[in-house]
Amino acid sequence: MTLVQQMITIGLCVIGTMATRFLPFIVFSSKKPAPGYIQYLGKALPPAIFGMLVVYCLKNVHILSGTHGLPELAAILVVVVLHLLKRQMLLSIAGGTICYMLLIQLGTGYFSP
Amino acid sequence: MNHLSKKRQSIFMAARCAFPYTIPIFAGFWFLGMTYGIYMNISGFSFVYPMIMSLIIFGGSLEFVAVKMLMSAYAPVQTLIMTLMIQARHLFYGISMLDRFKGMGWKKIYLIFGMCDESFSINYSAQIPENVDKGWFMFFVTLFNHVYWFTGATIGGILGSLVSFNTEGLDFVMTAMFVVIFMEQWLKEKKHYTALAGIGVSAACLLLFGADSFMIPTMVCILCVLTVFRRPIEKAGDIK
């Protein structure tokens, strides 16, 4: 690829990304209220989005091979329990992450020859 | 003079209030950003590439794919289609933020520009105190995230494979954050129709279509479910 072609490729990544971020705001301008259906979606979507993002983060976990997703499952349980007990965002996130790092780093030492 | 210092004080307060929310993202973005910068470096690109790309694209997963695009034959149409498919989920973020970004003036442009998964999630779910300016709060969340990603990617690009750190598994910080935000949302609702739909539909599509191509079917199915079950969902009263 020449430099110009590289610049065009990067530019297209920017344009594509900004199109998906700006489009709803351009289509439903703030001058008049959005249709009822869109307003409904705006309120109903977020819980579904957060569920989707959790799955998106875990998309490369293989249940049938490797560690079978057990470190992920254990760490998520730690996050959930910590959060139910203390309800402090940073504590829950740090606890789960440290648990996961320990499992992964100690685990590979155990299982790999 | 008094008015000016008051304004400055309120901006400072919004920054101070926003910062703690972004600490997990700092950990995650520095780790992922450096990984991305290192990846570009060992793929033969100057640090200028991750530096500029992290600044103007500001979308993690796409930037990793973009490295592969830059190393393959020039294919602009394919690049644009891939970009739109990877980034399509942002349409949902925009629809959810239509109301909240109203009346934000010039900040609105930057808020939309910087609306990555993490900025959206914090800005949508954070309980912003009454006395803190919402516009500046969201502005700083976005700005801090942008700075973390930009500095991480640039440092990774400069240092390249020189750095070796035992941070394996640190990327889980992002998963943990989304789990917490999901739970916060869950604890706020009485019924959990849409949250369950989000998890169920995504998991089903992941099994059916595989990790590389499940997001578009997931989005279409979520829209269908929310449209078909609009009445019971609205009746459940979680949506105001």
Side-chain angles (χ1 to χ4, degrees), chain B residues 155-173:
Chain B
I155 293 170
I158 292 171
L159 297 180
S161 47
L162 285 176
V163 271
S164 76
F165 36 31
N166 195 7
T167 45
E168 195 192 353
L170 184 60
D171 54 333
F172 191 80
V173 72

Side-chain angles (χ1 to χ4, degrees), chain A residues 6 21 37 40 43 83, chain B residues 49 58 113 184 226-227 240:
Chain A
Q6 284 184 340
R21 286 184 188 163
Y37 175 65
Y40 157 73
K43 285 161 185 160
H83 202 65
Chain B
Y49 283 80
F58 191 31
F113 164 83
E184 279 293 328
L226 292 187
T227 307
K240 278 148 238 149

Side-chain angles (χ1 to χ4, degrees), chain B residues 55-83:
Chain B
L55 196 65
I56 63 176
I57 302 179
F58 191 31
S61 37
L62 173 67
E63 287 175 50
F64 277 95
V65 178
V67 183
K68 281 211 183 90
M69 290 174 180
L70 288 171
M71 291 197 295
S72 345
Y74 177 59
V77 177
Q78 203 193 335
T79 300
L80 188 62
I81 292 172
M82 278 283 276
T83 304

Side-chain angles (χ1 to χ4, degrees), chain A residues 4 6 14 17 23 25 41-42 48 51 69-70 74 80 86 88 94 103 105 108 112:
Chain A
V4 174
Q6 284 184 340
V14 176
T17 302
L23 193 66
F25 296 92
L41 280 184
L70 291 176
V80 170
K86 299 280 181 191
Q88 283 179 11
L103 284 173
Q105 295 187 9
T108 43
S112 61

Side-chain angles (χ1 to χ4, degrees), chain A residues 4-103:
Chain A
V4 174
Q5 289 176 334
Q6 284 184 340
M7 280 162 64
I8 294 173
T9 301
I10 296 171
L12 286 169
C13 287
V14 176
I15 290 170
T17 302
M18 291 314 141
T20 60
R21 286 184 188 163
F22 277 91
L23 193 66
F25 296 92
I26 293 167
V27 174
F28 308 107
S29 74
S30 49
K31 286 185 189 79
K32 53 179 184 229
Y37 175 65
I38 297 298
Q39 288 187 14
Y40 157 73
L41 280 184
K43 285 161 185 160
L45 271 175
I49 293 175
F50 296 128
M52 180 177 88
L53 284 172
V54 170
V55 176
Y56 182 69
C57 283
L58 297 169
K59 66 178 176 163
N60 291 318
V61 174
H62 296 284
I63 297 181
L64 297 177
S65 58
T67 50
H68 304 284
L70 291 176
E72 286 80 6
L73 186 67
I76 287 177
L77 282 178
V78 170
V79 174
V80 170
V81 171
L82 272 178
H83 202 65
L84 287 177
L85 288 176
K86 299 280 181 191
R87 199 99 187 244
Q88 283 179 11
M89 181 175 134
L90 291 179
L91 180 76
S92 317
I93 295 172
T97 306
I98 291 166
C99 165
Y100 183 76
M101 289 175 75
L102 286 174
L103 284 173

